[in-house]
Amino acid sequence: MSKNQNFEEAWKNAFENAEVTPSPKVWKEIENQLPSQSLLGKVISLGTQYYVAAAVAASVSVVSLGTYFALKTDNTTQILPNAVVNSTIDQKNILPSDNQNNNENTSTILAEEKSSKNSSSSLVQSDKENFSNSTENKEIDAKKTISDNIQSNLIAKNTKKNTAFDDKNTSSKNLPPKNGLLKENLASNDDTKILDDKEDNLLEEETALIKSDLFEKASRKSLIDKIINNQVFITSTPTHVFPNIKNANKGWKLFGGVAFGGVTFEPNFKDRRNYNDVLSNLMRQPGDSAIGVNNTFNQGENVVSFLRSVKNSQDFLPQINSSYSYGINLGTYLSDKLNVQLGIHRQHFSVSSYSYAVIWDLQNIEIIHLDFTNYDNLEKHQFKMESVKPYKIIYEYDFVAVPVLVGYEIMDRKKISVEANLGLSTQIFLKNKIYSKEIPANVIRHDRYDDRKVFENQHIQAVIGCNISYDLWKNCAINISPSYQKAITDFTVKSSNFSSRPAQMGVSFGVRYDLD
Amino acid sequence: MQDDSKLIEGCIKGDRKMQRQLYEHFAPRMMAVSLRYAKSRLEAEDILQEAFIKVFNKIETFRKESSLYHWIKTIVINTALSHQRSKLYQFPMGDVKETDFSMNEDFSLADFHFNELLGMIQTLPAGCQMVFNLYAIEGYKHHEIAEMLEISEGTSKSQFSRARVLLQEMLEKKAKREVNYE
């Protein structure tokens, strides 16, 4: 047997017949899922009588552009566990029992969107420096002084450590990773130990400062800030435009709509698991810009460097992608003031999120933003580091929306009418597609449909809003429709371990022209 | 444990007791499999959970062409790969520089604890981890792996080569440290 086969055979034998008992909750979760499996895939079928009305008729083109603002509440905001530099991970169950620093083996720092009400210590990404106000600049300047001091110490330390690394025969003199899989108990001299302790404290301090900076910025309420922090999305849909049908006094009135717009809703995923895997977290939520750092060996200084680079990054800018929807509505008055509308719309949403991650399992390696396939500079080091440039992940979702709305006329003046609307919309999920683009090259990396079955085949949204209509001339009116909509059933399947109830509030604008 | 066929029959009927029995019989070994593909125990349990749901949903399609164990293991591996596939969207594997791999003749993993070896595999980069598992432990060929992961055969080979180097380095470092302790 060749040496290579011996190596592979050894690994194969090591894991053959291996057994690890899963926790009892796994079976409980399976049990919970089993009865509901047969229900998945069913489509709510509505009465077909209204669909028959899709006969070719004089249709009206309505072009509307809507703006929806995501609302976050405490219940739905989040999400990921508090992620700090020294967070505990479950790898302690895997690692050797003699590892005494289980709770510091891996640190995962996640930057995510947050609301001000969420006071967890999770980081939030944002496009930082250019949009900060003067007050913040002053704070940042003050913090920079500390950072600079730390930086110079780090450079000195890195120089010392990298030199040690080049010596392959060096063992005990190497400064060890603080924690990690390959923990070392080194007997360093007192001076080095004191320096290390001091540096570690400074590192922790700076990490905390940067984290608080990011958190503070993400907590700002202003619209501009929300856009900057990717918490606001521009979207469009005619589903909840509530076109004025006050002229539909006789029978049913059919009208069609087309809408174009930008990025869509924020699902506010609530992750029921404790995610420690930064890569999975980066994909956890459409429209979410995330920064992930997976530090197996708890390299404090590298974490700080990374955070600093992220903080200064210009990469996290809000994006408006093309979304569109089109469809038809059918409505009629039930009484003088009460009307009912139902419709069917094909919706296409596009959401972007950015991911920017650095992953390393090395010690004392300065963060270098390499292309992820470039390992040439790292040959001298014992382990390999992966670092990737920002990627823009684009999610596209296709739905068929079937809204059923009841409208009540509040006011009807000569040219202006106001109507309140309330209803439900069944959103039937068709497909979603994920592709990524490397920034700044804008090269499409992958283009495929997502078969992960994360999303429910249908979910129901409750809609409440009003429609303000202004007649321009006899058959033409412009509409403004503020509305609030929230999913009352889950948007994602239970087995995906996500739960989400998308909520949005926004204003739609439209023009309506009646042909008959 | 009851005969496989009775278990299968009971699971097809939705007999919870049979389902539980099947789960309890195979779960420990499948957990060990999913741990090799996951980065954490939690993720491994998620994979295991999802895989067994698929097993129970698809149990009637089991054709007995292979053993039930291998059938379930295939589902676990495919589920694990699906989990990892999202990472591949973001960090697609590319060809890496192949390095020379030298190894001692008397190579042995006997001195290493199972958990240590598992931890080493888990710290591999995602692409290397998957390819290493599929090639070295499951026994797939590179062209099969290439098809499964939608990569080129060359990428599969280079990723495996890298995995080997990384694991070897980890083993040597660990062994050296053990010697220093003594």
Side-chain angles (χ1 to χ4, degrees), chain B residues 49-69:
Chain B
Q49 175 191 320
E50 195 176 324
F52 267 95
I53 290 170
K54 287 180 189 172
V55 164
F56 292 128
N57 283 338
K58 293 182 182 179
I59 192 81
E60 67 269 16
T61 66
F62 174 62
R63 292 285 174 260
K64 298 184 184 179
E65 288 157 358
S66 62
S67 69
L68 185 59
Y69 165 75

PDB file of all heavy atoms in Angstrom, chain B residues 49-69:
ATOM      1  N   GLN B  49     -31.020  15.851  11.943  1.00  0.00           N
ATOM      2  CA  GLN B  49     -32.471  16.015  12.068  1.00  0.00           C
ATOM      3  C   GLN B  49     -33.117  16.083  10.695  1.00  0.00           C
ATOM      4  O   GLN B  49     -34.082  15.386  10.405  1.00  0.00           O
ATOM      5  CB  GLN B  49     -32.735  17.302  12.855  1.00  0.00           C
ATOM      6  CG  GLN B  49     -34.188  17.690  12.971  1.00  0.00           C
ATOM      7  CD  GLN B  49     -34.321  19.098  13.515  1.00  0.00           C
ATOM      8  OE1 GLN B  49     -33.586  19.508  14.425  1.00  0.00           O
ATOM      9  NE2 GLN B  49     -35.243  19.844  12.973  1.00  0.00           N
ATOM     10  N   GLU B  50     -32.545  16.915   9.850  1.00  0.00           N
ATOM     11  CA  GLU B  50     -33.111  17.069   8.509  1.00  0.00           C
ATOM     12  C   GLU B  50     -33.021  15.768   7.729  1.00  0.00           C
ATOM     13  O   GLU B  50     -33.939  15.393   6.992  1.00  0.00           O
ATOM     14  CB  GLU B  50     -32.331  18.172   7.790  1.00  0.00           C
ATOM     15  CG  GLU B  50     -32.997  18.704   6.547  1.00  0.00           C
ATOM     16  CD  GLU B  50     -32.218  19.860   5.931  1.00  0.00           C
ATOM     17  OE1 GLU B  50     -31.651  20.656   6.707  1.00  0.00           O
ATOM     18  OE2 GLU B  50     -32.152  19.937   4.702  1.00  0.00           O
ATOM     19  N   ALA B  51     -31.929  15.080   7.900  1.00  0.00           N
ATOM     20  CA  ALA B  51     -31.728  13.824   7.165  1.00  0.00           C
ATOM     21  C   ALA B  51     -32.746  12.777   7.591  1.00  0.00           C
ATOM     22  O   ALA B  51     -33.327  12.088   6.742  1.00  0.00           O
ATOM     23  CB  ALA B  51     -30.307  13.311   7.381  1.00  0.00           C
ATOM     24  N   PHE B  52     -32.979  12.665   8.881  1.00  0.00           N
ATOM     25  CA  PHE B  52     -33.917  11.635   9.327  1.00  0.00           C
ATOM     26  C   PHE B  52     -35.354  11.964   8.940  1.00  0.00           C
ATOM     27  O   PHE B  52     -36.165  11.071   8.707  1.00  0.00           O
ATOM     28  CB  PHE B  52     -33.791  11.395  10.835  1.00  0.00           C
ATOM     29  CG  PHE B  52     -32.849  10.276  11.164  1.00  0.00           C
ATOM     30  CD1 PHE B  52     -31.524  10.531  11.468  1.00  0.00           C
ATOM     31  CD2 PHE B  52     -33.278   8.961  11.130  1.00  0.00           C
ATOM     32  CE1 PHE B  52     -30.644   9.496  11.734  1.00  0.00           C
ATOM     33  CE2 PHE B  52     -32.394   7.917  11.405  1.00  0.00           C
ATOM     34  CZ  PHE B  52     -31.084   8.181  11.703  1.00  0.00           C
ATOM     35  N   ILE B  53     -35.656  13.234   8.860  1.00  0.00           N
ATOM     36  CA  ILE B  53     -36.992  13.602   8.363  1.00  0.00           C
ATOM     37  C   ILE B  53     -37.135  13.119   6.922  1.00  0.00           C
ATOM     38  O   ILE B  53     -38.164  12.586   6.513  1.00  0.00           O
ATOM     39  CB  ILE B  53     -37.204  15.117   8.476  1.00  0.00           C
ATOM     40  CG1 ILE B  53     -37.339  15.517   9.942  1.00  0.00           C
ATOM     41  CG2 ILE B  53     -38.459  15.546   7.716  1.00  0.00           C
ATOM     42  CD1 ILE B  53     -37.323  17.007  10.193  1.00  0.00           C
ATOM     43  N   LYS B  54     -36.085  13.305   6.164  1.00  0.00           N
ATOM     44  CA  LYS B  54     -36.109  12.815   4.781  1.00  0.00           C
ATOM     45  C   LYS B  54     -36.217  11.304   4.751  1.00  0.00           C
ATOM     46  O   LYS B  54     -36.919  10.731   3.913  1.00  0.00           O
ATOM     47  CB  LYS B  54     -34.833  13.234   4.044  1.00  0.00           C
ATOM     48  CG  LYS B  54     -34.756  14.699   3.691  1.00  0.00           C
ATOM     49  CD  LYS B  54     -33.445  15.000   2.969  1.00  0.00           C
ATOM     50  CE  LYS B  54     -33.268  16.503   2.805  1.00  0.00           C
ATOM     51  NZ  LYS B  54     -31.942  16.839   2.276  1.00  0.00           N
ATOM     52  N   VAL B  55     -35.499  10.656   5.646  1.00  0.00           N
ATOM     53  CA  VAL B  55     -35.543   9.194   5.704  1.00  0.00           C
ATOM     54  C   VAL B  55     -36.973   8.728   5.926  1.00  0.00           C
ATOM     55  O   VAL B  55     -37.476   7.862   5.211  1.00  0.00           O
ATOM     56  CB  VAL B  55     -34.610   8.673   6.817  1.00  0.00           C
ATOM     57  CG1 VAL B  55     -34.923   7.216   7.152  1.00  0.00           C
ATOM     58  CG2 VAL B  55     -33.146   8.811   6.412  1.00  0.00           C
ATOM     59  N   PHE B  56     -37.637   9.309   6.889  1.00  0.00           N
ATOM     60  CA  PHE B  56     -38.999   8.860   7.200  1.00  0.00           C
ATOM     61  C   PHE B  56     -39.975   9.230   6.099  1.00  0.00           C
ATOM     62  O   PHE B  56     -40.951   8.536   5.857  1.00  0.00           O
ATOM     63  CB  PHE B  56     -39.457   9.435   8.537  1.00  0.00           C
ATOM     64  CG  PHE B  56     -38.705   8.869   9.714  1.00  0.00           C
ATOM     65  CD1 PHE B  56     -38.110   9.707  10.644  1.00  0.00           C
ATOM     66  CD2 PHE B  56     -38.584   7.507   9.900  1.00  0.00           C
ATOM     67  CE1 PHE B  56     -37.404   9.197  11.721  1.00  0.00           C
ATOM     68  CE2 PHE B  56     -37.876   6.984  10.975  1.00  0.00           C
ATOM     69  CZ  PHE B  56     -37.284   7.829  11.884  1.00  0.00           C
ATOM     70  N   ASN B  57     -39.703  10.339   5.413  1.00  0.00           N
ATOM     71  CA  ASN B  57     -40.593  10.723   4.321  1.00  0.00           C
ATOM     72  C   ASN B  57     -40.404   9.859   3.086  1.00  0.00           C
ATOM     73  O   ASN B  57     -41.316   9.686   2.287  1.00  0.00           O
ATOM     74  CB  ASN B  57     -40.351  12.190   3.942  1.00  0.00           C
ATOM     75  CG  ASN B  57     -40.982  13.135   4.933  1.00  0.00           C
ATOM     76  OD1 ASN B  57     -41.914  12.759   5.643  1.00  0.00           O
ATOM     77  ND2 ASN B  57     -40.481  14.353   5.005  1.00  0.00           N
ATOM     78  N   LYS B  58     -39.174   9.348   2.970  1.00  0.00           N
ATOM     79  CA  LYS B  58     -38.864   8.617   1.733  1.00  0.00           C
ATOM     80  C   LYS B  58     -38.701   7.127   1.952  1.00  0.00           C
ATOM     81  O   LYS B  58     -38.275   6.414   1.057  1.00  0.00           O
ATOM     82  CB  LYS B  58     -37.551   9.145   1.138  1.00  0.00           C
ATOM     83  CG  LYS B  58     -37.607  10.563   0.639  1.00  0.00           C
ATOM     84  CD  LYS B  58     -36.255  10.938   0.032  1.00  0.00           C
ATOM     85  CE  LYS B  58     -36.268  12.374  -0.436  1.00  0.00           C
ATOM     86  NZ  LYS B  58     -34.967  12.761  -0.996  1.00  0.00           N
ATOM     87  N   ILE B  59     -39.006   6.681   3.135  1.00  0.00           N
ATOM     88  CA  ILE B  59     -38.715   5.288   3.492  1.00  0.00           C
ATOM     89  C   ILE B  59     -39.391   4.306   2.536  1.00  0.00           C
ATOM     90  O   ILE B  59     -38.864   3.214   2.279  1.00  0.00           O
ATOM     91  CB  ILE B  59     -39.113   5.011   4.966  1.00  0.00           C
ATOM     92  CG1 ILE B  59     -38.552   3.664   5.435  1.00  0.00           C
ATOM     93  CG2 ILE B  59     -40.611   5.053   5.152  1.00  0.00           C
ATOM     94  CD1 ILE B  59     -37.150   3.695   5.844  1.00  0.00           C
ATOM     95  N   GLU B  60     -40.520   4.703   1.992  1.00  0.00           N
ATOM     96  CA  GLU B  60     -41.200   3.762   1.096  1.00  0.00           C
ATOM     97  C   GLU B  60     -40.457   3.591  -0.228  1.00  0.00           C
ATOM     98  O   GLU B  60     -40.725   2.668  -0.982  1.00  0.00           O
ATOM     99  CB  GLU B  60     -42.659   4.204   0.846  1.00  0.00           C
ATOM    100  CG  GLU B  60     -42.818   5.489   0.068  1.00  0.00           C
ATOM    101  CD  GLU B  60     -42.885   6.700   0.970  1.00  0.00           C
ATOM    102  OE1 GLU B  60     -42.508   6.578   2.157  1.00  0.00           O
ATOM    103  OE2 GLU B  60     -43.285   7.762   0.488  1.00  0.00           O
ATOM    104  N   THR B  61     -39.532   4.497  -0.508  1.00  0.00           N
ATOM    105  CA  THR B  61     -38.781   4.381  -1.756  1.00  0.00           C
ATOM    106  C   THR B  61     -37.522   3.529  -1.600  1.00  0.00           C
ATOM    107  O   THR B  61     -36.808   3.295  -2.576  1.00  0.00           O
ATOM    108  CB  THR B  61     -38.353   5.772  -2.258  1.00  0.00           C
ATOM    109  OG1 THR B  61     -37.414   6.342  -1.320  1.00  0.00           O
ATOM    110  CG2 THR B  61     -39.546   6.706  -2.394  1.00  0.00           C
ATOM    111  N   PHE B  62     -37.265   3.070  -0.404  1.00  0.00           N
ATOM    112  CA  PHE B  62     -36.087   2.245  -0.175  1.00  0.00           C
ATOM    113  C   PHE B  62     -36.248   0.903  -0.882  1.00  0.00           C
ATOM    114  O   PHE B  62     -37.219   0.178  -0.674  1.00  0.00           O
ATOM    115  CB  PHE B  62     -35.882   2.042   1.332  1.00  0.00           C
ATOM    116  CG  PHE B  62     -34.762   1.089   1.673  1.00  0.00           C
ATOM    117  CD1 PHE B  62     -33.461   1.369   1.301  1.00  0.00           C
ATOM    118  CD2 PHE B  62     -35.022  -0.083   2.367  1.00  0.00           C
ATOM    119  CE1 PHE B  62     -32.436   0.487   1.602  1.00  0.00           C
ATOM    120  CE2 PHE B  62     -34.003  -0.963   2.679  1.00  0.00           C
ATOM    121  CZ  PHE B  62     -32.708  -0.683   2.292  1.00  0.00           C
ATOM    122  N   ARG B  63     -35.268   0.603  -1.732  1.00  0.00           N
ATOM    123  CA  ARG B  63     -35.420  -0.552  -2.625  1.00  0.00           C
ATOM    124  C   ARG B  63     -34.666  -1.785  -2.183  1.00  0.00           C
ATOM    125  O   ARG B  63     -34.690  -2.802  -2.846  1.00  0.00           O
ATOM    126  CB  ARG B  63     -34.952  -0.168  -4.034  1.00  0.00           C
ATOM    127  CG  ARG B  63     -35.840   0.841  -4.724  1.00  0.00           C
ATOM    128  CD  ARG B  63     -37.132   0.215  -5.213  1.00  0.00           C
ATOM    129  NE  ARG B  63     -38.025   1.241  -5.742  1.00  0.00           N
ATOM    130  CZ  ARG B  63     -39.037   1.747  -5.053  1.00  0.00           C
ATOM    131  NH1 ARG B  63     -39.287   1.352  -3.831  1.00  0.00           N
ATOM    132  NH2 ARG B  63     -39.804   2.673  -5.582  1.00  0.00           N
ATOM    133  N   LYS B  64     -33.951  -1.694  -1.109  1.00  0.00           N
ATOM    134  CA  LYS B  64     -33.189  -2.833  -0.596  1.00  0.00           C
ATOM    135  C   LYS B  64     -32.067  -3.265  -1.529  1.00  0.00           C
ATOM    136  O   LYS B  64     -31.579  -4.384  -1.450  1.00  0.00           O
ATOM    137  CB  LYS B  64     -34.100  -4.043  -0.298  1.00  0.00           C
ATOM    138  CG  LYS B  64     -35.146  -3.742   0.770  1.00  0.00           C
ATOM    139  CD  LYS B  64     -35.968  -4.963   1.107  1.00  0.00           C
ATOM    140  CE  LYS B  64     -37.065  -4.589   2.093  1.00  0.00           C
ATOM    141  NZ  LYS B  64     -37.908  -5.727   2.429  1.00  0.00           N
ATOM    142  N   GLU B  65     -31.694  -2.364  -2.439  1.00  0.00           N
ATOM    143  CA  GLU B  65     -30.552  -2.695  -3.293  1.00  0.00           C
ATOM    144  C   GLU B  65     -29.260  -2.577  -2.504  1.00  0.00           C
ATOM    145  O   GLU B  65     -28.256  -3.211  -2.804  1.00  0.00           O
ATOM    146  CB  GLU B  65     -30.516  -1.750  -4.500  1.00  0.00           C
ATOM    147  CG  GLU B  65     -31.620  -2.056  -5.507  1.00  0.00           C
ATOM    148  CD  GLU B  65     -31.958  -0.858  -6.375  1.00  0.00           C
ATOM    149  OE1 GLU B  65     -31.377   0.217  -6.184  1.00  0.00           O
ATOM    150  OE2 GLU B  65     -32.821  -1.025  -7.246  1.00  0.00           O
ATOM    151  N   SER B  66     -29.305  -1.717  -1.493  1.00  0.00           N
ATOM    152  CA  SER B  66     -28.171  -1.642  -0.583  1.00  0.00           C
ATOM    153  C   SER B  66     -28.733  -1.830   0.821  1.00  0.00           C
ATOM    154  O   SER B  66     -29.943  -1.971   0.997  1.00  0.00           O
ATOM    155  CB  SER B  66     -27.486  -0.284  -0.705  1.00  0.00           C
ATOM    156  OG  SER B  66     -28.385   0.739  -0.347  1.00  0.00           O
ATOM    157  N   SER B  67     -27.849  -1.817   1.775  1.00  0.00           N
ATOM    158  CA  SER B  67     -28.341  -1.978   3.138  1.00  0.00           C
ATOM    159  C   SER B  67     -29.023  -0.687   3.598  1.00  0.00           C
ATOM    160  O   SER B  67     -28.775   0.395   3.054  1.00  0.00           O
ATOM    161  CB  SER B  67     -27.180  -2.309   4.075  1.00  0.00           C
ATOM    162  OG  SER B  67     -26.344  -1.170   4.199  1.00  0.00           O
ATOM    163  N   LEU B  68     -29.861  -0.842   4.585  1.00  0.00           N
ATOM    164  CA  LEU B  68     -30.568   0.328   5.106  1.00  0.00           C
ATOM    165  C   LEU B  68     -29.565   1.338   5.661  1.00  0.00           C
ATOM    166  O   LEU B  68     -29.726   2.549   5.521  1.00  0.00           O
ATOM    167  CB  LEU B  68     -31.553  -0.112   6.199  1.00  0.00           C
ATOM    168  CG  LEU B  68     -32.456   0.968   6.783  1.00  0.00           C
ATOM    169  CD1 LEU B  68     -33.310   1.619   5.696  1.00  0.00           C
ATOM    170  CD2 LEU B  68     -33.359   0.380   7.870  1.00  0.00           C
ATOM    171  N   TYR B  69     -28.531   0.821   6.263  1.00  0.00           N
ATOM    172  CA  TYR B  69     -27.494   1.702   6.822  1.00  0.00           C
ATOM    173  C   TYR B  69     -26.897   2.587   5.726  1.00  0.00           C
ATOM    174  O   TYR B  69     -26.778   3.800   5.889  1.00  0.00           O
ATOM    175  CB  TYR B  69     -26.394   0.866   7.479  1.00  0.00           C
ATOM    176  CG  TYR B  69     -25.122   1.646   7.769  1.00  0.00           C
ATOM    177  CD1 TYR B  69     -25.055   2.543   8.825  1.00  0.00           C
ATOM    178  CD2 TYR B  69     -23.987   1.490   6.958  1.00  0.00           C
ATOM    179  CE1 TYR B  69     -23.900   3.268   9.075  1.00  0.00           C
ATOM    180  CE2 TYR B  69     -22.833   2.214   7.208  1.00  0.00           C
ATOM    181  CZ  TYR B  69     -22.796   3.102   8.265  1.00  0.00           C
ATOM    182  OH  TYR B  69     -21.639   3.820   8.503  1.00  0.00           O
TER     183      TYR B  69
END
